[in-house]
Amino acid sequence: MNEIIRNPKAGATNGSLDPQDWSAFRDLAHRMLDEAIDGIANVRARPVWQPIPNEVRAAIRTDVPREATDLADVYREFSEHVAPYATGNVHPGFMGWVHGGGTAVGMVAEMLAAGLNANLAGRDHMPIEVERQIVEWMRGLFGFPQGASGIFVTGTSVANLMAVLVARTNALGTLARQHGIGSDGALLTAYASKAAHGCISRAMDIAGFGTDALRKIEVDADHRIDVAAMRARIAVDREVGFKPFLVTASAGTVDIGAIDDLRAIAELCREEGIWFHVDGAFGALAILSPELAPLLDGIALADSIALDFHKWGQVPYDAGFLLVRDGERHRQAFAQPAAYLSREARGLAAGTVWPCDLGPDLSRGFRALKTWFTLKTFGTDRLGEVIARSCALARYLETRVLAEPRLELLAPVNLNIVCFRYRAADAVNREIVADVQESGIAAPSSTILHGKFAIRAAIVNHRTAESDIDALVAAVIRFGMQRTGGLIEVEAPPLAAR
Ligand SMILES: *Cc1c(COP(=O)(O)O)cnc(C)c1O
């Protein structure tokens, strides 16, 4: 059947956007690839991050480019003005927020995906099967039953929002999709800890419940949600007529990496008939490490899990993911009949359920490919070792902080996040963080803990080594001393006594 078909030489077009001279394009493209590989291979030779000079900012401000520019010139602009001033999270000294480092493998996979230019809204093609295979792998890893479903999204912010929407449809029935959340919806209440990520309250806002409908429950000294307090709040809410419908547990809080007691929360949710969602943005992939997986005990009982492959999974941005225990409930929250999306038994329109039935996106890129390459090329054991190593490095930083009288540890080190400060005023520490970032030596971020400004180092990048931790500590001390003239704030126990 296949030979009907076309003379491959016929109909070559001049009007297309393809290169006029493929061989010249090929040479330049190879150079771009080589230089992109060099950029990763030699990343240590560069500053982690550098401030953008005004000339550079100005250089790319032009009118809409109506005329063509040579690819080589556009590439030169990229090399001079864009690439040197990127976030820096490829660099092993990057410890700010929770950023993955990416890999060379992920980079080339992303290039291959762009070559296919597949649209993973739906239809019957292998890229969809690759995404389905990753759903299967995640289903297995997290101990979810057959019939679970999953989907790639931009990130956990969107995955958490989708979990709210699935839980909403589960609570109110599918008619709520037609009529809106109405007066029943106005009574729905959700629960998360005070340490939960801000995107959870934003999800409540976007979903139409308002942020007040999210009850922010107290945490204990280790920043884990106080389950008894949550149980009590649920009881109070029920008594006055609210309808608790969703608990979002944190598996790795953004401040300090705390993991809520997932098993106890699962039990509470089962007793109360409440949807149990886990925000595992970075922490969920600790499941890959035999040493860390026990911390996630109970995650297999979740109704849904949000996670990011672009953080601890080291997949290049972006690669968020939502896994839902009951695939039918997941579909009910998003599927929508449309004549132009009708499904057929054969041909390209076969192969339902389509990803567009499982989320708000129609057109979707092939995020699954870079994830598939990453999981297969390194193997999940190796990725688990990388995750465990970043926790070991965090413990190393903890010991360095504890051994250094000018530094103070501000939170227990649960996983891969260390919060500390130079013993000086908040304002000084704020300057120190900016000093260290601008020095290009390291890039920590900051947070506020118990009212104190904290320098926060989240070790996520697989390239980070002990020497990078040492460089961070040395830089914080150096800038701290510069800013204070060596004077340090004395707190009990008096430092002089040591
Ligand atoms: C990063 C993070 C998020 C948000 O995920 P994005 O991928 O940035 O959208 C949510 N929760 C936690 C705990 C996170 O660390």
Side-chain angles (χ1 to χ4, degrees):
M1 195 166 137
N2 280 341
E3 75 274 13
I4 340 184
I5 316 212
R6 335 231 309 164
N7 170 357
K9 298 229 168 72
T13 54
N14 304 323
S16 86
L17 298 174
D18 284 335
Q20 298 276 312
D21 177 349
W22 282 103
S23 131
F25 175 83
R26 190 184 302 275
D27 287 346
L28 180 52
H30 280 267
R31 206 183 95 211
M32 289 179 185
L33 178 60
D34 278 340
E35 290 178 4
I37 292 170
D38 286 344
I40 299 178
N42 304 326
V43 65
R44 281 182 177 280
R46 295 198 307 267
V48 179
W49 173 83
Q50 51 184 335
I52 309 168
N54 287 336
E55 315 84 81
V56 171
R57 259 186 235 279
I60 69 152
R61 294 208 185 108
T62 63
D63 293 335
V64 173
R66 300 198 52 174
E67 306 291 329
T69 309
D70 264 356
L71 176 61
D73 291 334
V74 179
Y75 177 56
R76 189 172 315 118
E77 257 198 84
F78 165 83
S79 303
E80 283 173 17
H81 296 147
V82 181
Y85 306 99
T87 334
N89 50 311
V90 175
H91 197 290
F94 192 97
M95 301 167 196
W97 301 274
V98 183
H99 276 40
T103 66
V105 166
M107 177 184 77
V108 292
E110 187 76 317
M111 183 185 71
L112 299 178
L116 292 181
N117 192 25
N119 182 345
L120 278 79
R123 296 163 281 267
D124 197 21
H125 50 107
M126 273 314 275
I128 297 258
E129 290 298 331
V130 170
E131 180 158 347
R132 289 190 181 126
Q133 181 57 58
I134 293 174
V135 172
E136 258 319 277
W137 288 338
M138 291 304 115
R139 187 182 73 73
L141 276 173
F142 289 104
F144 273 28
Q146 294 282 342
S149 66
I151 184 167
F152 276 89
V153 291
T154 43
T156 290
S157 302
V158 167
N160 281 338
L161 168 61
M162 287 162 63
V164 169
L165 296 172
V166 176
R168 174 204 66 181
T169 309
N170 179 58
L172 297 176
T174 50
L175 271 183
R177 293 184 57 196
Q178 189 182 338
H179 300 313
I181 61 169
S183 49
D184 277 354
L187 298 173
L188 296 185
T189 49
Y191 303 79
S193 89
K194 287 195 159 156
H197 195 275
C199 69
I200 293 161
S201 90
R202 196 165 47 157
M204 293 294 288
D205 159 17
I206 297 170
F209 297 109
T211 55
D212 285 351
L214 179 68
R215 314 307 201 204
K216 291 190 178 155
I217 308 298
E218 288 299 331
V219 292
D220 64 18
D222 292 328
H223 290 227
R224 289 151 55 104
I225 195 167
D226 180 338
V227 180
M230 178 160 64
R231 183 186 294 278
R233 184 66 203 260
I234 288 170
V236 168
D237 278 337
R238 279 203 201 285
E239 221 171 277
V240 297
F242 286 111
K243 296 180 177 163
F245 82 112
L246 167 67
V247 170
T248 298
S250 300
T253 59
V254 65
D255 272 341
I256 71 158
I259 299 175
D260 288 339
D261 184 343
L262 303 180
R263 183 164 292 278
I265 297 172
E267 223 155 83
L268 173 62
C269 288
R270 192 177 42 74
E271 286 165 24
E272 297 276 350
I274 296 177
W275 189 275
F276 171 32
H277 175 65
V278 175
D279 174 357
F282 70 92
L285 284 181
I287 199 90
L288 300 181
S289 159
E291 178 191 330
L292 299 172
L295 298 172
L296 297 167
D297 177 51
I299 199 167
L301 303 169
D303 290 305
S304 51
I305 302 171
L307 63 92
D308 282 327
F309 289 105
H310 55 229
K311 290 178 176 169
W312 251 348
Q314 311 296 337
V315 172
Y317 282 81
D318 50 30
F321 191 78
L322 176 68
L323 186 69
V324 180
R325 164 177 231 90
D326 181 338
E328 188 48 28
R329 285 184 201 277
H330 185 181
R331 208 186 60 78
Q332 280 171 1
F334 295 105
Q336 184 188 36
Y340 49 85
L341 294 175
S342 70
R343 316 301 157 86
E344 305 296 341
R346 64 190 190 87
L348 185 51
T352 202
V353 174
W354 292 358
C356 66
D357 300 326
L358 301 174
D361 294 315
L362 183 55
S363 294
R364 308 170 60 247
F366 195 1
R367 296 183 181 103
L369 190 66
K370 58 194 171 185
T371 309
W372 189 74
F373 263 85
T374 302
L375 295 174
K376 285 177 77 80
T377 306
F378 299 107
T380 55
D381 287 351
R382 176 87 188 284
L383 294 171
E385 284 164 19
V386 164
I387 287 168
R389 195 164 75 99
S390 62
C391 295
L393 285 170
R395 290 193 298 274
Y396 173 67
L397 175 54
E398 178 186 31
T399 50
R400 291 284 331 259
V401 169
L402 290 172
E404 174 52 65
R406 285 165 289 196
L407 303 180
E408 177 187 6
L409 190 72
L410 290 180
V413 175
N414 290 290
L415 285 173
N416 60 330
I417 300 177
V418 184
C419 291
F420 65 103
R421 64 173 202 142
Y422 190 84
R423 287 187 192 269
D426 282 2
V428 172
N429 278 281
R430 185 170 280 118
E431 296 300 330
I432 291 172
V433 168
D435 288 341
V436 175
Q437 291 171 352
E438 288 179 358
S439 75
I441 296 168
S445 59
S446 65
T447 189
I448 306 285
L449 288 173
H450 314 295
K452 274 185 184 165
F453 183 91
I455 302 171
R456 176 175 166 286
I459 322 295
V460 185
N461 190 317
H462 58 97
R463 301 181 183 96
T464 304
E466 280 194 6
S467 57
D468 299 295
I469 305 287
D470 292 338
L472 169 72
V473 171
V476 167
I477 290 174
R478 193 178 96 208
F479 290 115
M481 290 183 60
Q482 271 174 21
R483 294 235 162 235
T484 56
L487 291 172
I488 54 177
E489 195 179 89
V490 176
E491 287 200 350
L495 291 163
R498 296 191 182 181

